[in-house]
Amino acid sequence: MFDLAKHNTNVKTEIIAGCTTFLTMVYIIVVNPVVLSDAGVPFSQVFTATIIATIIGTLWMALFANYPIAIAPGMGLNAYFAYSVVGSHGNISYEVAFSAVFVAGILFVILSLTPFRSKLIEAIPENLKHGITAGIGLFIAFIGLRLTGIIQAHPQNLVALGDLHSPSAVLTLIGLAVTLVLMSLGVNGALFFGMVITGVIAYFTGQLKFDKGFVSMPSLPEGLVVANPFTAIGDVIHYGLYAVVFSFLLVTIFDTTGTMIGVAQQAGLMKGKTMPRAREALLADSVATTIGAMFGTSPTSAYIESSSGVAAGGRTGITALTVAILFALSAFFGPLVSAVSGIAAITAPALIIVGSLMMGSIARIQWDQLDEAFPAFLIILSMPLTSSIATGIALGFISYPLLKITRGKWREVHPLVYIFAVLFFYQLAFLPH
């Protein structure tokens, strides 16, 4: 079913890869409820809704698309939901905002059923694809460094070197050294075992504590937040949330498409310009967004942390299936997961190393051609600096056709690239993001 021999992998490697991906992204079941609770959504509601959306999207990816890619509510999109949609519109409750997410999800499913999204993957220029992969790599390495305090905020330069004597920074550097040694020795699952060793060190140095125990029952205090599709559509029309729906749709399409291309290229699963089983893969995200909105979470996206599982050897849906099973189990281990994911230093070394592996795509960019190189450079530069995959892609999409037109090569640009250049310009110029 999973074509293990064809992908030159085995069940053990896939399960270790799934564990690695899970550990690098499980923070979302703590971070997402924290962000959305600022919009008034009960913490336990979002905790359970996040797990439900993750399981549905990731299971779909495993069983129908056979990709080692995990789906979960996206960072950035949850902040946009909590602070731009609910926070800046006094008359909009979180229930109404979830109606907008639900409608965006329905439109997303319809788009995924058409050839449009798979055509979009083919339309993205080759050098932009390499730029997206490298940009994501730089972005997740930056996240790893920032979360552990190795890089910190600076009033003049925005970022600066943090306190390397802090317990978090020391633990990260030890974890990084251990993981790099394991990788250098060719140990299978080096990223995963690096995290386990770092976790043990964190426990014995008093950084990792289990004060709230290990187990608790999941709950949905609000039940279904969006129970009636027609009510949801009515809410969007009544409150005029068209721009909100458009923003969710545009950002999610490109967040997911960009991430899938990056991870699939890293895993060697792209067939030339096309992504096999693209429709099934893209449906995973749109179905999860729609169902997630019903239970009470912001839009889902393909997770860049999936690249850590790919780096650990994951090539098939068994990796994603493992992630889904572990998320299902984590619903009953809220206190345990909260404790481990609260220590960024345990997972940060994996993010930093995977970032370096993904940066290899830079070598395939045609640096001697300005009209190909500069848009890719813009993507690579802006993803970590704006903390947004979609913004990086937007700037690349806007600059690419402009440079092609000025060099008289406008016929080389796919019509879809022109369309999205205009849409991205409109979004960046006139919509909140």
Side-chain angles (χ1 to χ4, degrees), residues 25 28 32 36 49-58 61 70-75 77-78 98 101-102 104-105 108-109 117 248-249 251-257 259-260 281-293 296-303:
M25 65 178 284
I28 194 62
N32 200 43
L36 293 188
T50 300
I51 291 170
I52 290 169
T54 303
I55 292 169
I56 288 167
T58 308
M61 187 67 79
I71 302 286
M75 288 298 292
L77 287 165
N78 53 7
F98 280 128
V101 177
F102 178 82
F108 205 18
V109 170
R117 284 186 74 185
F248 277 138
L249 197 57
V251 172
T252 313
I253 283 174
F254 276 91
D255 234 345
T256 298
T257 306
T259 303
M260 281 186 190
L282 297 164
L283 266 171
D285 182 33
S286 45
V287 169
T289 292
T290 309
I291 294 173
T297 186
S298 47
T300 59
S301 179
Y303 254 60

Side-chain angles (χ1 to χ4, degrees), residues 205-379:
T205 54
Q207 294 181 58
L208 179 59
K209 297 185 179 73
F210 302 103
D211 299 332
K212 296 179 181 176
F214 298 94
V215 185
S216 66
M217 285 298 291
S219 64
L220 279 168
E222 302 283 306
L224 279 179
V225 180
V226 179
N228 188 331
F230 297 105
T231 306
I233 294 166
D235 284 344
V236 169
I237 294 168
H238 178 72
Y239 291 96
L241 298 177
Y242 308 111
V244 172
V245 170
F246 174 72
S247 288
F248 277 138
L249 197 57
L250 198 60
V251 172
T252 313
I253 283 174
F254 276 91
D255 234 345
T256 298
T257 306
T259 303
M260 281 186 190
I261 288 170
V263 176
Q265 275 196 327
Q266 184 198 356
L269 300 172
M270 295 287 284
K271 296 282 184 284
K273 288 190 173 186
T274 62
M275 185 176 171
R277 304 175 305 283
R279 179 181 294 185
E280 292 85 348
L282 297 164
L283 266 171
D285 182 33
S286 45
V287 169
T289 292
T290 309
I291 294 173
M294 294 173 70
F295 285 97
T297 186
S298 47
T300 59
S301 179
Y303 254 60
I304 51 177
E305 284 83 355
S306 304
S307 52
S308 63
V310 168
R315 293 293 180 274
T316 73
I318 294 179
T319 297
L321 181 62
T322 304
V323 174
I325 291 168
L326 290 171
F327 266 96
L329 292 173
S330 70
F332 301 95
F333 291 91
L336 171 67
V337 170
S338 177
V340 173
S341 62
I343 309 296
I346 294 173
T347 55
L351 296 182
I352 296 164
I353 291 167
V354 169
S356 79
L357 297 174
M358 295 185 77
M359 282 294 287
S361 292
I362 280 185
R364 298 199 285 276
I365 295 170
Q366 293 169 288
W367 291 108
D368 56 341
Q369 295 183 34
L370 183 68
D371 52 344
E372 293 285 344
F374 187 78
F377 165 73
L378 209 51
I379 290 172

Side-chain angles (χ1 to χ4, degrees), residues 76-88:
L77 287 165
N78 53 7
Y80 172 62
F81 177 97
Y83 308 118
S84 295
V85 181
V86 179
S88 63

Side-chain angles (χ1 to χ4, degrees), residues 17 19 24 47 81-82 110 124 154 157 206 223 232 251 271 286 290 305 337 378 419 433:
C19 293
T24 55
F47 175 81
F81 177 97
I110 294 166
I124 298 175
H154 188 276
N157 298 328
V251 172
K271 296 282 184 284
S286 45
T290 309
E305 284 83 355
V337 170
L378 209 51
I419 292 167
H433 47 81

